[in-house]
Amino acid sequence: SDARLDPRLYDNPAIAELNAIAYAGMPLMTSDGQVLGSFCVVDNVPRGWTPEQIEILRELSLAAMTEIELREQLLERQLIEQELRDNRQQLIESQRFVERLIHTLPDVVYLFDLDLAQIVYVNTEIAQVLGYSQDEYQTFSGEKLYSLVHRDDQPALRQAIHQRAGLKDGEFIELDYRIRTAGGSYLWVHPREAVFLRDEQGGVRQVVGVVQDISRRKQDEAMLRGYVNSLEALRHVDVELGETLDLNS
């Protein structure tokens, strides 16, 4: 056939620019039906195309389209992988920032897993406050941790432990109790716990806690109570002395 005589092609610039006298083409169509262009062959003299040649052209167009889609998929995969690498790096940097932040805090920070019934993370401040190493403290079971608490404070702690499973987001559990240090002495602490992680059913899986050493505060409170008691005793002595003087007079 002669493209110059075909009403669909006679004004195509390729006829003059490429001397495309004979033309045959197949659409390059995506799997969802979008036409990207055409796969074509040209000759510079008029000619016809046999059914076998048209079939070869069709197969070549399909192969070209497969290659195009594979390249697109490869490009998309590379972009996704790059995005994952970027996200992973950002996550690593965020984790490092959080770890640096936690390790600079003067308080003990820990994660307690309710399913495992043990501490799964604690910052290095645990060594300064209680004298246990980070690795050692993370091996303590819930029962072991409970046994470190002064027996007079264990009932209140037991009640707080039972409240963990029912914690709502934004709620806190906090109390004061005495805990035995690695050296054997007792230290007053004030832990404050909140939900850190939930399971697929919405139940509490992990709680995060921040523990403050309040021994100095407890000492100050005891000293203040001592002063108050002393003043009250002096007041009674003063009253009794006044009454005695009145009787003698």
Side-chain angles (χ1 to χ4, degrees), residues 114-134:
L114 274 66
D115 290 345
L116 299 177
Q118 72 176 60
I119 298 285
V120 293
Y121 170 81
V122 66
N123 65 343
T124 54
E125 192 63 21
I126 189 69
Q128 297 296 324
V129 177
L130 295 180
Y132 302 103
S133 70
Q134 206 174 3

Side-chain angles (χ1 to χ4, degrees), residues 15 25 28 41 92 108 111 114-115 117 119 129 170 177 181 184 209 211 217 221 236:
I15 294 177
L28 294 172
V41 291
I92 291 173
V108 175
L111 284 178
L114 274 66
D115 290 345
I119 298 285
V129 177
Y177 59 78
T181 68
V211 180
R217 192 189 81 190
E221 291 175 354
H236 284 299

Side-chain angles (χ1 to χ4, degrees), residues 51-93:
E52 291 77 10
Q53 291 172 327
I54 295 297
E55 180 61 23
I56 292 173
L57 181 61
R58 188 187 70 81
E59 292 178 357
L60 289 174
S61 69
L62 293 175
M65 194 63 240
T66 300
E67 180 68 19
I68 290 172
E69 290 188 325
L70 286 174
R71 288 178 180 269
E72 287 183 345
Q73 293 173 5
L74 178 61
L75 179 59
E76 289 178 0
R77 179 177 178 179
Q78 290 173 341
L79 292 174
I80 292 173
E81 289 176 348
Q82 182 61 46
E83 184 177 358
L84 288 174
R85 284 193 294 269
D86 293 342
N87 292 340
R88 188 179 297 112
Q89 185 61 35
Q90 291 177 2
L91 179 60
I92 291 173
E93 292 175 359

Side-chain angles (χ1 to χ4, degrees), residues 3-19:
R4 295 168 298 182
L5 304 178
D6 192 315
R8 298 168 299 177
L9 301 172
Y10 74 92
D11 58 351
N12 192 306
I15 294 177
E17 295 173 3
L18 303 177
N19 194 28

Side-chain angles (χ1 to χ4, degrees), residues 71-215:
R71 288 178 180 269
E72 287 183 345
Q73 293 173 5
L74 178 61
L75 179 59
E76 289 178 0
R77 179 177 178 179
Q78 290 173 341
L79 292 174
I80 292 173
E81 289 176 348
Q82 182 61 46
E83 184 177 358
L84 288 174
R85 284 193 294 269
D86 293 342
N87 292 340
R88 188 179 297 112
Q89 185 61 35
Q90 291 177 2
L91 179 60
I92 291 173
E93 292 175 359
S94 297
Q95 289 175 334
R96 288 174 179 171
F97 172 77
V98 172
E99 288 177 358
R100 288 196 299 269
L101 180 63
I102 289 176
H103 290 318
T104 58
L105 292 174
D107 303 324
V108 175
V109 179
Y110 64 89
L111 284 178
F112 186 87
D113 192 291
L114 274 66
D115 290 345
L116 299 177
Q118 72 176 60
I119 298 285
V120 293
Y121 170 81
V122 66
N123 65 343
T124 54
E125 192 63 21
I126 189 69
Q128 297 296 324
V129 177
L130 295 180
Y132 302 103
S133 70
Q134 206 174 3
D135 293 337
E136 180 184 12
Y137 201 74
Q138 287 176 187
T139 63
F140 289 172
S141 65
E143 287 297 322
K144 172 65 174 177
L145 293 171
Y146 184 77
S147 69
L148 297 178
V149 175
H150 194 284
R151 62 182 182 181
D152 291 344
D153 302 326
Q154 287 180 357
L157 177 60
R158 189 181 301 111
Q159 183 178 0
I161 290 173
H162 291 325
Q163 293 174 358
R164 284 172 172 166
L167 266 176
K168 298 178 181 178
D169 294 338
E171 289 185 344
F172 297 94
I173 297 175
E174 49 188 327
L175 72 159
D176 299 345
Y177 59 78
R178 288 158 290 184
I179 187 169
R180 190 168 67 247
T181 68
S185 61
Y186 279 93
L187 196 70
W188 275 103
V189 294
H190 177 83
R192 194 168 192 250
E193 293 184 346
V195 176
F196 181 77
L197 180 67
R198 294 187 180 275
D199 57 27
E200 295 180 354
Q201 289 72 39
V204 179
R205 172 70 185 276
Q206 293 180 346
V207 293
V208 59
V210 178
V211 180
Q212 294 179 321
D213 179 358
I214 60 169
S215 298

